Amino acid sequence: MNKVSLILSRGIARVTGSTLGPYQSAVIRIGFAGTWLLFLLREFPHRQELYGPNGPWGWNLAKELTADNHAFTALLWSDGQAWFECFYLLAIAAGAALLLGWRTRTASVLFMVGVLSLQNRSVFVGDGGDNVLHLMSFYLVFTRCGQVWSLDARRATRAAAARARGERVPADRVGPLLWAVLGLGLLVATFTGRFDNGWLIPALLWTAWVVLAMWWAVGRWAKSPEPRILLDVIANVLHNAGLLVIMAEACLIYATAGWYKIQGSRWQDGTAVYYPLHLDYFSPWPGLADLMSSSGTIMMIVAYGTVMVQVAFPFTLFNRRVKNVLLVLMMIEHAVIAVVLGLPFFSLAMITADAVFLPTPFLRRLGALAARARGRVVRRGERTVPGPRSPQESPQGAA
């Protein structure tokens, strides 16, 4: 009994006292934000047809649908062109801020608002990856995904180093200003009746706004460390729970996809992969598709292998070696789908979801390699920039 109690107390201490998987949460932050940002930039010339007020899925049709399913979208707050353009640019800015890890807590909330608003505006636009991004944007709000590989982490490191040297760290002015502007917008949206399709999103937005205020106030004025410790414990629990939900969601996606495939006759006879390769919509490279589908054996191996990997993956999480092998296979599979079937954003979303299971030592080595590569680029740039010339070399010195 004492052993069980000791294990339980250690587990509780770990869950409440630290954020688990900081590198994994950073990877999914960068991955999902980058996927969304690339999608918005690629579709920028076609944004009117996809989400605009005068697109094929008209404003009135979207209004009727959201009134029935109570989906949240800020794009239906106005049918004006100026509102749509501004919101689309704000969604791009939120994706870039989350990608870089700038004001990550606020950026994650704005990222969620952008994803939900655009996707719920035109629900028939997407390729499957939008559903994953839709869910993950909600879960990311609860994670502390900016602790590594972010501008926030760099700013915190510099502030800690300045305090260690005995220097005075200037007060944060950007955070309170951003909080005040967003609070004003939230207040206007609430009292003008914009949140008329449900209570979940407005409650989450107001809660996040109040929590940000409490976090700043405790860090600025708290005399004792207890309030900050309490907020850290709550944030750690929410982060660890959110990360667990993300992992469970990824497992559920693969498990349900695999078991549904087992029930399909085309997957049972090994011909299911053949047919998408010969659809014009999914054949950006017809020659490559014909080459792959020319062998029935290859088609059967790919079909059966896909089903086996998806069904087996959730059961291999407790075996690190087998799990890592299946992770590599699934990422390769999604990379092939991106190229052969022309579904890059679906593949990026699924590869990002897979990345939550990558081992921490691998991610640390990957980060170290990226840091060294960045250092080489910076040093080369410094060599190519000419330094200040001496007085003898300057025209004035020569004169």
Side-chain angles (χ1 to χ4, degrees), residues 329-353:
L329 292 177
M330 289 192 299
M331 289 183 175
I332 292 175
E333 175 190 359
H334 289 304
V336 172
I337 290 174
V339 176
V340 178
L341 297 182
L343 298 172
F345 299 108
F346 165 78
S347 298
L348 280 175
M350 292 308 303
I351 289 174
T352 303

Side-chain angles (χ1 to χ4, degrees), residues 10-186:
R10 286 178 178 174
I12 294 174
R14 189 178 181 189
V15 170
T16 58
S18 62
T19 54
L20 303 179
Y23 292 93
Q24 287 79 1
S25 59
V27 165
I28 60 177
R29 183 201 85 230
I30 295 170
F32 286 122
T35 301
W36 180 241
L37 184 61
L38 288 175
F39 174 78
L40 293 181
L41 292 176
R42 192 196 72 169
E43 300 298 343
F44 191 82
H46 314 292
R47 64 192 183 282
Q48 297 291 341
E49 292 79 7
L50 293 176
Y51 305 113
N54 298 320
W57 186 251
W59 193 83
N60 291 326
L61 288 173
K63 195 74 175 176
E64 292 179 10
L65 181 61
T66 55
D68 182 61
N69 62 12
H70 304 290
F72 167 80
T73 171
L75 283 180
L76 296 182
W77 290 357
S78 171
D79 59 351
Q81 185 65 30
W83 170 245
F84 167 72
E85 296 290 353
C86 290
F87 190 88
Y88 198 92
L89 293 176
L90 287 174
I92 292 176
L98 188 63
L99 175 67
L100 298 174
W102 183 79
R103 307 288 168 175
T104 312
R105 294 187 185 95
T106 303
S108 63
V109 176
L110 295 178
F111 177 75
M112 178 198 69
V113 171
V115 171
L116 297 184
S117 297
L118 287 168
Q119 291 188 351
N120 290 335
R121 168 63 180 83
S122 298
V123 294
F124 299 108
V125 176
D127 52 15
D130 57 314
N131 295 326
V132 179
L133 192 62
H134 193 105
L135 293 170
M136 298 303 177
S137 68
F138 185 82
Y139 301 148
L140 277 174
V141 174
F142 299 93
T143 63
R144 307 181 76 174
C145 53
Q147 291 195 330
V148 297
W149 299 344
S150 67
L151 295 179
D152 288 347
R154 187 175 71 170
R155 187 174 65 252
T157 301
R158 289 179 176 178
R163 292 191 189 96
R165 293 191 300 267
E167 300 175 1
R168 180 179 177 273
V169 179
D172 181 21
R173 299 184 183 277
V174 177
L177 178 61
L178 187 62
W179 175 84
V181 171
L182 295 178
L184 179 61
L186 189 58

